[in-house]
Amino acid sequence: MRKKIVAGNWKMNCDLAEMQELLTGIKNQLKNIPDSVSLIVAPAYTNLYPAFETLKETPVEVIAQNMHQAKNGAFTGEISAAMLKGIGIKTVILGHSERRSIFKEDNQLLKEKVQTALDNSMQVIFCIGEELEAREEDKAFDVVKEQLEKALFSFPQTAWKNIVVAYEPVWAIGTGKTASPQQAQEMHAFIRQQIAEKYDKETANAVSILYGGSVKPANAEEIFSQTDVDGGLIGGAALKAESFIEIALAFQN
Ligand SMILES: O=C[C@H](O)COP(=O)(O)O
């Protein structure tokens, strides 16, 4: 059975004190979360180690929001895979649409980052998704296919045990506009089919595919109940312990 995952991407939010408060809230409610659901939080770089220390006796995984592709060197302001691993971080989000649009990270660069993560035995949550214009022009599937092909499909089948895909339609991120459960299911099934065609059905069926984009307690249950939706990558609603936990509980119903 595929892993069910609820991951909170905190983006550039929470100073240390705010994060510790959030973590206390999450820890206090962990007993309600079924073992079948993996909880993940992705704090900003400066909060990674304190979060790791605070959560180390719990099942919640702390992951990074990004990293550089190089091993080390003159890259002012950047963080390497070895640095993340050195503080116990084993997973990284790559390809988030904010990295693609604001920081101009393209599929070629993202492929290099994925390669670096895999070379360092790290897991990757790889984000893909179309912008509003592509959705309106009926090109959403073409965009997603291209992102998969250019950034991920040159890796061998064995790499896929370390890759989780997050489908995040850009027009639904932080906008309050969620893809309908049907739109999410349609795209998730398409992504799985692309993986099956490139590799095989077994590989495709084992990959967790998360949905991201304005997931909230009110819509999580319907989205998570879709056949090919294995969880969520949550932004705004992950910044409050109550709503984050409520979203994770949506799997129970
Ligand atoms: O990484 C998370 C996504 O960008 C979703 O953010 P959001 O839940 O605030 O729309």
Side-chain angles (χ1 to χ4, degrees), residues 12-238:
M12 199 174 74
N13 293 296
C14 294
D15 62 19
L16 181 60
E18 288 163 341
M19 181 189 72
Q20 292 297 11
E21 197 184 327
L22 179 50
L23 290 181
T24 303
I26 292 172
K27 274 176 85 175
N28 287 342
Q29 297 176 71
L30 278 183
K31 57 182 179 310
N32 302 322
I33 306 296
D35 293 342
S36 54
V37 178
S38 300
L39 274 195
I40 292 176
V41 293
Y45 287 138
T46 52
N47 278 341
L48 280 173
Y49 189 60
F52 181 80
E53 282 292 305
T54 303
L55 294 172
K56 69 181 175 195
E57 307 296 335
T58 78
V60 184
E61 186 185 359
V62 179
I63 74 169
Q65 297 176 16
N66 180 38
M67 66 173 205
H68 196 269
Q69 67 276 17
K71 191 173 172 197
N72 58 5
F75 300 103
T76 301
E78 291 291 336
I79 298 282
S80 72
M83 290 168 185
L84 294 174
K85 284 180 71 185
I87 58 163
I89 306 301
K90 298 185 179 122
T91 304
V92 61
I93 298 172
L94 294 173
H96 192 282
S97 66
E98 287 146 19
R99 300 296 318 172
R100 290 176 187 264
S101 64
I102 304 168
F103 301 99
K104 309 295 172 218
E105 296 191 359
D106 62 15
N107 289 317
Q108 175 55 37
L109 173 71
L110 292 168
K111 183 168 101 176
E112 287 174 40
K113 290 192 175 202
V114 175
Q115 181 72 65
T116 299
L118 297 175
D119 289 348
N120 282 277
S121 307
M122 292 180 77
Q123 310 268 328
V124 174
I125 297 182
F126 193 80
C127 304
I128 54 179
E130 80 286 358
E131 297 195 355
L132 183 60
E133 204 183 349
R135 171 65 59 174
E136 285 175 346
E137 289 174 1
D138 212 14
K139 290 187 180 142
F141 294 91
D142 298 339
V143 170
V144 164
K145 187 171 183 206
E146 189 180 346
Q147 290 169 334
L148 286 169
E149 284 174 348
K150 291 199 169 155
L152 295 182
F153 280 180
S154 60
F155 294 107
Q157 182 271 339
T158 48
W160 282 84
K161 64 178 186 309
N162 293 316
I163 298 173
V164 165
V165 175
Y167 169 59
E168 299 204 313
V170 181
W171 47 271
I173 296 176
T175 58
K177 279 187 205 167
T178 323
S180 68
Q182 294 70 28
Q183 283 174 319
Q185 168 55 27
E186 200 184 13
M187 188 58 90
H188 282 227
F190 174 78
I191 292 166
R192 208 177 295 289
Q193 182 203 333
Q194 295 305 305
I195 299 169
E197 282 174 18
K198 171 68 192 175
Y199 299 90
D200 54 59
K201 266 194 172 170
E202 208 186 342
T203 305
N205 285 336
V207 176
S208 292
I209 306 177
L210 314 183
Y211 170 80
S214 297
V215 177
K216 299 188 171 39
N219 58 26
E221 189 181 337
E222 209 184 348
I223 294 172
F224 293 173
S225 68
Q226 303 301 310
T227 318
D228 288 290
V229 177
D230 305 306
L233 182 56
I234 321 298

